[in-house]
Amino acid sequence: MAACGFARAIASCSQAAAASRLAAVRQDAHGESRQAQLRSRFRSSPLLALHRQGINHSHQTKNRNAGYHTCYKISGYRRARVSASTESEARSGNGVATSQGKDAAFPAFLPLQVAELEEEAARQLARRVQRLPVQTNLASEPIMSSCIVPKNAGQTAVPILLFHGFDSSCLEWRRVYERLEEGGAEPWAVDTLGWGFSDTTKERAIRSFSVEAKREHLYQFWRQHLGGRPALLVGPSLGGAAAIDLAVHHPDAPAGLPAGLVLLDAQAFEEGVGPLAALPKFLAYAGVALLKSVQLRTSAVKMAFHDKAESTADAMNVGRLHCLMPDWADAMVDFMRSGGYHVSKRVGEVSQPSLVVWGSEDEILEASLAERFKAELPDCRGVVQLEGCGHIPHVERPADVAQLILDFCSQLQAERERESAGEARVTVA
């Protein structure tokens, strides 16, 4: 989900809390004066404090009349079913636990609440989460980084690197991941540093969780575990900003880091985290506590889906699970105070082939932004509108999104093979 969506959800929850507090003050006929009691309640309420700090991004009016030009043909979708994974391997801090079958145990480093998830696709993908060591300049020791490793790791020319949205985890890909594997792709779902289920406890002494730190971690993950092969970056929501940021900072990596980009309702033209970056540290922690709250997460899930029947308590629990990891709050505050992603002026520097996918009923990022991507990306291969879909098409329309990714990846791989064959012929001549 986009950071701006959470900011609006924070504002909504803060206003509700403020109204409740003020009503209680007016009804209290005894004790302190109204002003004194209001000050007391203000000091005891982080929600009201956040409201006073003005955490309220301007609400963008959804442009329902925005036109789309679909120049990437969607045809022949394979409605692959989500099948249970036959094997999962989980790496904890000091060892590896391997188990098979539908009833396999969850990795020991996941929060215990993972056992309470109801959606079978989420449970099966959670069983496959493992930690891989990633050496960076952010800590003296490798960061044990959570991810989903494909069954055919290292066997394709163009692997797929799946990012997730703001303050989320690789479980976002629960309905798409196996479809990609069944389609012959090599998908790696990686958790962005500071989110997901990596080991970021204080004992690891990770120096930063800023945008620069997240970029360094993602780059080193690609280099060390994907072998430096050209990869298709897929970024939903804020993950789109992360993909753009990585692409423009490492365009000349060996073999070229991004073979291409798929941007799903991507946040790139809303800069940073807004007023959240300027909060005093104690208020930042209050804001982070609110981000973890069931009330805010429920509100965010309702905004994310067009089909409100999907906005279940279980969907909220899947999206909130990583917030229960140790030291999640410290990493979140560090990111917020760093200012967040600022990539709007760099979209035009993305030279790689790109595909833009957008839910027609996105309530968080307005529809016209898809056309802006098409206008500013130098090699945009198309804008695909998914009718009747909200902000998270990879969750709400997984079969369509999986097929789009598979088709685009195949197209990029074929282009690279033709280029390699052409270069070979020139060399022989």
Side-chain angles (χ1 to χ4, degrees):
M1 186 171 177
C4 56
F6 273 110
R8 285 198 286 272
I10 287 175
S12 175
C13 291
S14 300
Q15 290 164 359
S20 176
R21 294 285 186 180
L22 290 172
V25 170
R26 293 191 182 100
Q27 292 172 5
D28 193 343
H30 304 285
E32 301 175 298
S33 67
R34 182 174 300 177
Q35 293 82 359
Q37 186 157 347
L38 178 59
R39 286 194 297 271
S40 174
R41 291 180 184 274
F42 180 95
R43 287 191 293 268
S44 65
S45 170
L47 301 185
L48 188 55
L50 284 168
H51 177 61
R52 294 291 192 184
Q53 287 294 320
I55 303 177
N56 188 359
H57 279 200
S58 59
H59 192 286
Q60 296 185 343
T61 302
K62 176 174 171 57
N63 183 1
R64 296 186 181 273
N65 298 318
Y68 285 82
H69 174 62
T70 304
C71 51
Y72 183 89
K73 186 177 181 181
I74 312 176
S75 61
Y77 287 117
R78 289 170 291 174
R79 300 289 177 178
R81 65 183 179 86
V82 177
S83 60
S85 61
T86 58
E87 180 175 341
S88 65
E89 182 180 73
R91 183 188 301 263
S92 61
N94 298 314
V96 178
T98 302
S99 51
Q100 295 186 356
K102 184 176 179 180
D103 297 323
F106 295 104
F109 56 79
L110 293 182
L112 293 177
Q113 290 83 346
V114 66
E116 300 172 7
L117 299 183
E118 298 173 3
E119 184 181 347
E120 190 57 32
R123 293 174 65 86
Q124 290 304 314
L125 197 61
R127 290 186 174 100
R128 292 186 61 178
V129 177
Q130 58 182 282
R131 285 174 170 173
L132 298 179
V134 177
Q135 186 67 62
T136 70
N137 61 16
L138 304 169
S140 58
E141 299 295 327
I143 298 171
M144 298 305 296
S145 306
S146 51
C147 61
I148 311 293
V149 178
K151 297 171 184 176
N152 62 342
Q155 299 179 24
T156 68
V158 180
I160 300 171
L161 197 53
L162 303 171
F163 298 162
H164 57 71
F166 173 74
D167 190 28
S168 185
S169 78
C170 57
L171 296 185
E172 272 191 24
W173 294 101
R174 59 194 180 273
R175 300 179 183 179
V176 169
Y177 192 86
E178 288 194 1
R179 286 180 163 95
L180 295 177
E181 282 191 320
E182 291 169 356
E186 182 189 342
W188 295 74
V190 58
D191 281 334
T192 306
L193 184 66
W195 299 324
F197 308 106
S198 299
D199 184 358
T200 59
T201 52
K202 289 183 177 66
E203 291 77 10
R204 302 303 173 193
I206 299 172
R207 287 185 281 276
S208 174
F209 297 92
S210 65
V211 168
E212 293 76 18
K214 293 182 188 318
R215 181 195 313 139
E216 161 70 5
H217 177 257
L218 290 172
Y219 174 71
Q220 294 299 339
F221 181 93
W222 164 77
R223 191 179 65 82
Q224 295 168 35
H225 294 290
L226 277 71
R229 290 171 293 156
L232 174 61
L233 309 184
V234 183
S237 193
L238 193 70
I244 292 169
D245 177 77
L246 193 60
V248 299
H249 281 90
H250 292 288
D252 300 320
L257 166 53
L261 282 78
V262 177
L263 303 174
L264 307 173
D265 292 66
Q267 179 182 342
F269 300 114
E270 290 209 16
E271 297 282 59
V273 295
L276 295 170
L279 288 179
K281 199 166 186 178
F282 78 96
L283 280 178
Y285 273 98
V288 164
L290 182 56
L291 281 176
K292 187 178 179 179
S293 70
V294 171
Q295 181 184 11
L296 182 132
R297 292 278 165 173
T298 300
S299 176
V301 166
K302 288 180 179 177
M303 287 192 292
F305 284 102
H306 170 62
D307 181 0
K308 302 308 178 186
E310 293 267 23
S311 305
T312 63
D314 190 59
M316 183 275 297
N317 288 332
V318 173
R320 182 175 177 267
L321 185 66
H322 69 284
C323 300
L324 307 178
M325 292 293 290
D327 298 306
W328 164 82
D330 294 329
M332 190 69 215
V333 167
D334 188 272
F335 171 74
M336 284 168 45
R337 288 169 62 81
S338 74
Y341 283 93
H342 293 77
V343 299
S344 64
K345 295 180 180 179
R346 308 206 65 174
V347 173
E349 300 176 30
V350 178
S351 59
Q352 295 82 4
S354 303
L355 174 66
V356 177
V357 181
W358 218 270
S360 66
E361 306 301 322
D362 191 334
E363 298 176 18
I364 295 171
L365 296 175
E366 62 183 25
S368 61
L369 292 175
E371 287 299 315
R372 185 173 173 184
F373 273 116
K374 182 175 181 293
E376 296 193 19
L377 287 167
D379 190 8
C380 181
R381 301 294 177 88
V383 173
V384 178
Q385 177 189 17
L386 296 178
E387 296 291 343
C389 180
H391 182 65
I392 45 177
H394 53 308
V395 181
E396 199 163 7
R397 295 281 291 277
D400 293 344
V401 169
Q403 193 59 52
L404 285 167
I405 295 172
L406 287 170
D407 290 347
F408 195 56
C409 189
S410 295
Q411 177 185 339
L412 295 178
Q413 186 163 332
E415 290 178 4
R416 285 184 171 268
E417 289 172 355
R418 288 195 296 269
E419 290 172 1
S420 297
E423 291 174 0
R425 284 194 296 272
V426 170
T427 302
V428 171

